[in-house]
Amino acid sequence: MGYQWFQGLDGLARPGGNDDGSSLADFARDDAAAAPRLQRSDAALQAAFEAQRGDLQIEGQGTVIKVLPDDNKGSRHQRFILRLGSGQTVLVAHNIDLAPRVPGLAEGDTVTFFGEYEWNPQGGVIHWTHHDPGGRHVGGWLRHRGQTYE
């Protein structure tokens, strides 16, 4: 498959976060221990960027700093730029042919993600934020205002 699991948000290498089904967004809202988890996620993304490494399956969270026009070439993607807590920026390319669009997305909104990081010189791209209808790739998601899009 080529991707790597990120182990560090809660010590488990699987999507969904905690054993009770909570995720990083739940931690960020409800748990004072969220800051270290977010810092580890941000640190892993920063390390991947510095090493020019991709294929990293990761959960993280950021603030929308720019909503871009959809990419309608081939599979359609909703695109926006997140600034992580570390200051790093990543482009999110969310396939809206396979998952619902995130409605009402605006600058300043918080988005939690689980997807695959790919390196580029601008900070990187998060994609695979949707299910895989072929079942060959781990499913990803986006969470915005308490709603999950996968």
Side-chain angles (χ1 to χ4, degrees):
M1 287 189 204
Y3 59 87
Q4 299 173 2
W5 286 96
F6 172 69
Q7 298 181 8
L9 297 177
D10 62 4
L12 301 175
R14 60 172 170 62
N18 206 346
D19 286 338
D20 64 3
S22 61
S23 73
L24 188 58
D26 299 320
F27 286 119
R29 185 181 60 245
D30 299 332
D31 185 347
R37 289 182 179 96
L38 287 170
Q39 289 170 350
R40 284 193 300 270
S41 173
D42 286 358
L45 285 165
Q46 185 66 39
F49 175 72
E50 290 172 0
Q52 298 184 10
R53 192 183 93 211
D55 295 327
L56 177 68
Q57 191 72 31
I58 191 160
E59 182 176 356
Q61 182 174 287
T63 302
V64 177
I65 61 168
K66 181 113 177 123
V67 177
L68 301 168
D70 289 351
D71 177 359
N72 292 314
K73 295 180 181 131
S75 297
R76 298 174 309 133
H77 287 79
Q78 181 179 19
R79 301 178 313 146
F80 54 95
I81 299 173
L82 292 178
R83 182 174 313 283
L84 307 176
S86 65
Q88 180 179 351
T89 58
V90 293
L91 170 68
V92 176
H94 179 58
N95 188 320
I96 53 176
D97 286 334
L98 295 175
R101 168 186 299 282
V102 179
L105 193 63
E107 291 179 16
D109 287 355
T110 299
V111 174
T112 305
F113 59 85
F114 182 71
E116 185 176 282
Y117 173 81
E118 294 295 343
W119 180 86
N120 74 23
Q122 291 76 39
V125 178
I126 302 292
H127 68 131
W128 280 102
T129 56
H130 55 82
H131 69 283
D132 177 6
R136 295 179 306 273
H137 193 284
V138 63
W141 46 261
L142 297 176
R143 191 163 294 133
H144 177 249
R145 296 183 184 158
Q147 179 72 37
T148 301
Y149 304 89
E150 52 190 333

